[in-house]
Amino acid sequence: MKVVLKSGTQNASIKNHLLSFKCTVVQEFAQVMFLSRELSDSEQAILLEQFKTIKCFTDSKWPLVATAEPCPLFTNGFAAIAGPCSVESEQQINLVAKTLSELGVKFIRGGAFKPRTSPYAFQGLGLKGYEMLANAARQHDLISVSEVMSVEQIELASKYIDILQVGARNMQNYPLLTALGKLNKPIILKRSAAATYSEFLNAAEYILLGGNSQVILCERGIKSFEPMTRNTLDISLVPVLQQLTNLPIIIDPSHAVGLRSMVPALTRAAVAVGANGVMLEAHPQPELSVSDAEQALSLVELNSLLKQIANLCKTINCFENT
Ligand code: PEP
Ligand code: MN
């Protein structure tokens, strides 16, 4: 049996309480405790009554990813990460950074090492891309997000980038996940287009196991039988995974739907479903984007969407208070 503790929970008092049930903690992993035996229903009820911030699970097929301290950047309000699919030039990324800071967005994204389906497609500016993104972020006091595709790129990425992203295609690159577990930086882990919740959480667990608790889960659409959109946004992931983990969960509507006109609707859904944030692709001249042009928002569209997010957040808080 496993007991998942939410952050701030006092482990010691729970352990003492478990002793009174003649049950011991056999192993601890981050904020998950593995107990020596199953608790009866009444024991579980007593424990849950006493400690409102814990959850008990007996179904071992679920990995229970929890962490003592979920990344504070994503647990305080609704976070918006925005920026181009790829860093293309200094001029492009600087203009995006300037606009984001004017709009009050804290996080800027931009790919430098790009995982492209075709080997003939633009592969990203590499190191130069990291440098340009880092400079733009520094000048405008933004937090940078960029992808790292291999173990060899980690050292370089961590020199320049604040939050490292593991792309959907690398969600099960276990050496990469293990190496990122040793880093003291937040990691955005994107769900593979074909991963179950259990596989996704297990991938996160690889990072947590190394001691890095700053994992942010990102749903970016899964493969379905529907050809009209790039992927299918699995909005159910948010409430389901909130039952199983206290890691922050963000949604990437851009890669999910693949069409800019539908990104706002899915972004509103992300706010309403209780996600911790969104990642949006935006470009000064979307139609000229070197990658993912169809899904990029213009900076004007981004501005309007951010206002909608702010209004929705207010409305939802308002409902919570009634
Ligand atoms: C990206 O965010 O740049 C990206 C490549 O997304 P994904 O890994 O979800 O396809
Ligand atoms: Mn993209």
Side-chain angles (χ1 to χ4, degrees):
M1 165 144 205
K2 301 172 185 178
V3 167
V4 179
L5 311 179
K6 290 236 175 152
S7 52
T9 310
Q10 295 300 315
N11 296 33
S13 44
I14 292 180
K15 279 189 213 163
N16 280 339
H17 210 74
L18 290 168
L19 280 177
S20 68
F21 298 150
K22 298 199 169 40
C23 178
T24 49
V25 174
V26 288
Q27 195 194 336
E28 272 185 64
F29 163 61
Q31 287 293 86
V32 182
M33 286 175 170
F34 298 82
L35 307 185
S36 58
R37 67 172 176 82
E38 299 281 304
L39 299 180
S40 68
D41 287 351
S42 63
E43 284 170 332
Q44 281 195 44
I46 294 168
L47 201 66
L48 293 172
E49 178 57 33
Q50 184 108 6
F51 304 98
K52 303 259 186 260
T53 52
I54 70 167
K55 290 178 183 186
C56 298
F57 287 92
T58 52
D59 188 346
S60 58
K61 81 173 192 259
W62 293 105
L64 289 162
V65 188
T67 155
E69 291 174 54
C71 183
L73 292 173
F74 290 85
T75 42
N76 197 3
F78 189 83
I81 305 169
C85 180
S86 303
V87 177
E88 297 170 13
S89 66
E90 263 174 6
Q91 195 197 13
Q92 173 232 29
I93 201 69
N94 289 343
L95 177 56
V96 172
K98 180 170 174 290
T99 310
L100 293 183
S101 80
E102 285 164 4
L103 298 178
V105 174
K106 280 202 298 199
F107 302 90
I108 184 168
R109 63 149 287 148
F113 290 92
K114 296 296 302 175
R116 302 307 300 280
T117 304
S118 161
Y120 305 112
F122 175 65
Q123 302 287 307
L125 296 181
L127 169 60
K128 279 210 161 4
Y130 280 159
E131 281 173 348
M132 288 178 194
L133 178 62
N135 284 335
R138 194 176 326 108
Q139 271 174 40
H140 296 280
D141 203 18
L142 299 170
I143 297 166
S144 57
V145 178
S146 197
E147 180 159 351
V148 61
M149 292 203 298
S150 66
V151 175
E152 298 74 47
Q153 286 165 8
I154 293 178
E155 205 181 320
L156 201 59
S158 37
K159 216 170 119 193
Y160 292 98
I161 304 301
D162 301 313
I163 302 181
L164 307 193
Q165 173 177 315
V166 177
R169 295 159 185 81
N170 268 312
M171 189 206 84
Q172 285 176 313
N173 180 339
Y174 298 121
L176 178 63
L177 302 177
T178 301
L180 291 170
K182 306 209 177 75
L183 227 58
N184 183 19
K185 275 189 189 258
I187 311 293
I188 292 180
L189 176 64
K190 297 189 96 175
R191 179 188 184 189
S192 155
T196 63
Y197 296 157
S198 171
E199 286 162 343
F200 189 23
L201 289 181
N202 268 302
E205 204 137 339
Y206 267 89
I207 303 174
L208 297 173
L209 195 55
N212 185 352
S213 65
Q214 302 183 73
V215 178
I216 300 106
L217 302 172
C218 179
E219 158 62 26
R220 45 76 75 205
I222 52 174
K223 296 253 185 249
S224 78
F225 47 78
E226 179 50 63
M228 275 178 72
T229 55
R230 184 174 182 183
N231 290 287
T232 295
L233 179 62
D234 179 14
I235 201 91
S236 316
L237 172 136
V238 178
V240 174
L241 293 203
Q242 280 172 344
Q243 293 291 312
L244 298 166
T245 174
N246 62 349
L247 294 177
I249 304 169
I250 63 170
I251 285 183
D252 171 351
S254 307
H255 290 90
V257 71
L259 300 164
R260 79 173 62 80
S261 64
M262 289 160 200
V263 168
L266 295 189
T267 302
R268 293 191 295 269
V271 180
V273 81
N276 298 92
V278 273
M279 170 134 75
L280 301 165
E281 284 193 345
H283 192 286
Q285 292 168 287
E287 59 294 341
L288 299 184
S289 295
V290 297
S291 54
D292 288 350
E294 308 78 23
Q295 69 197 35
L297 298 171
S298 70
L299 300 179
V300 173
E301 287 165 333
L302 178 67
N303 181 10
S304 134
L305 184 52
L306 291 168
K307 286 189 185 130
Q308 294 179 41
I309 294 176
N311 284 335
L312 254 179
C313 286
K314 267 193 231 141
T315 314
I316 286 169
N317 285 338
C318 186
F319 282 145
E320 275 175 0
N321 293 337
T322 53

